[in-house]
Amino acid sequence: RHPKLFLDEKQALEDENNPIFMNEDEKIKTRCKEIAIELGNSNAIKEYEKSPVYFSTLERYLCRGHGNGMFQRYKHYRTWGRWENILYKSPVPVLKHFFDIGDIGEPILSKKLDDIHHTKRKPFLNVNRRNLNSKWNFASQCFEVLTFVHMIRGIISRLRNGQLKSSFLFFLDSVGQWIAFATQLVFPLYIIAVFCITCIYVFNH
């Protein structure tokens, strides 16, 4: 799960302009854009080349160095050649193994699928064991947030990838999470403490 497996600006630019990865509509629009650029037709260029869209001054400042805006944030991940190799690496399943024919001839999910479960003997390869117990997962997340493990791990990961702005925003987000989790933990204890103190005061007077 390398973070830069699909991140490649040069390869993304090549794949974006490669007709192999386009449908017919995209091929026509790309050709029209090329002709507009050759003729210097600014109105036509705007028609076929999307401009960056910003929704706030802060977003404009943070994305200023990249010049891509909200809808183009992951433009450099569009290395379609690599995605294609990954998506079609696994064998394609046979649909008749998953569907049956209903009473009026419509396809329905096979009831045999209900008998398939994740077990130690026959485990699912893509099962995340941490998600099997939601209560334990929540407790683990609370612990990581309150002890700043979540914050430190995320910031170090982003700094290693050179994501300085993202590190700062993640820090702010982590502080907000810490306040939220701490409030959930402290507030009930505060209510209980106040209730006990009130009861003691009432009984003594």
Side-chain angles (χ1 to χ4, degrees):
R1 300 188 302 171
H2 195 278
K4 293 189 178 181
L5 177 62
F6 300 111
L7 176 59
D8 190 323
E9 182 178 356
K10 182 179 178 181
Q11 185 66 43
L13 183 61
E14 292 179 2
D15 289 354
E16 184 181 9
N17 297 312
N18 191 335
I20 296 176
F21 304 115
M22 300 180 187
N23 56 34
E24 293 302 320
D25 183 59
E26 290 172 336
K27 289 179 182 178
I28 294 173
K29 289 182 178 180
T30 299
R31 183 53 184 159
C32 290
K33 184 178 74 173
E34 292 174 353
I35 295 174
I37 293 174
E38 291 175 1
L39 299 177
N41 190 333
S42 58
N43 291 329
I45 293 174
K46 292 179 181 178
E47 177 69 24
Y48 296 107
E49 191 172 53
K50 294 181 180 179
S51 301
V53 178
Y54 303 101
F55 293 95
S56 67
T57 304
L58 178 61
E59 181 190 353
R60 183 181 296 274
Y61 169 75
L62 293 174
C63 299
R64 184 173 54 186
H66 305 285
N68 42 26
M70 173 62 72
F71 299 113
Q72 303 293 330
R73 288 174 60 190
Y74 301 104
K75 189 175 183 179
H76 297 159
Y77 283 91
R78 298 176 184 177
T79 48
W80 304 129
R82 299 180 186 179
W83 279 97
E84 188 176 37
N85 292 333
I86 296 297
L87 291 174
Y88 295 102
K89 189 176 181 66
S90 300
V92 179
V94 181
L95 291 181
K96 67 179 182 180
H97 294 163
F98 301 97
F99 292 92
D100 290 331
I101 302 299
D103 296 334
I104 58 175
E106 80 284 7
I108 59 174
L109 284 176
S110 175
K111 293 183 179 179
K112 295 179 181 178
L113 297 177
D114 296 334
D115 300 327
I116 302 176
H117 302 283
H118 171 78
T119 62
K120 292 183 178 180
R121 187 175 180 182
K122 293 183 178 181
F124 294 158
L125 297 178
N126 60 342
V127 168
N128 186 349
R129 295 182 179 276
R130 291 188 62 186
N131 292 333
L132 296 179
N133 190 328
S134 57
K135 293 181 179 178
W136 171 255
N137 193 23
F138 175 73
S140 176
Q141 184 180 4
C142 287
F143 177 79
E144 291 182 357
V145 171
L146 293 173
T147 57
F148 301 102
V149 172
H150 173 73
M151 177 191 294
I152 295 172
R153 184 193 301 155
I155 291 176
I156 290 176
S157 175
R158 284 161 176 75
L159 290 177
R160 284 177 178 173
N161 295 324
Q163 300 173 326
L164 298 179
K165 294 179 180 178
S166 178
S167 300
F168 176 70
L169 293 177
F170 183 80
F171 169 76
L172 297 178
D173 179 70
S174 299
V175 171
Q177 286 191 49
W178 189 92
I179 294 173
F181 278 90
T183 301
Q184 292 183 62
L185 180 64
V186 173
F187 185 72
L189 298 177
Y190 172 77
I191 295 299
I192 294 173
V194 170
F195 177 77
C196 292
I197 293 172
T198 303
C199 290
I200 294 172
Y201 180 81
V202 170
F203 287 128
N204 291 336
H205 294 78

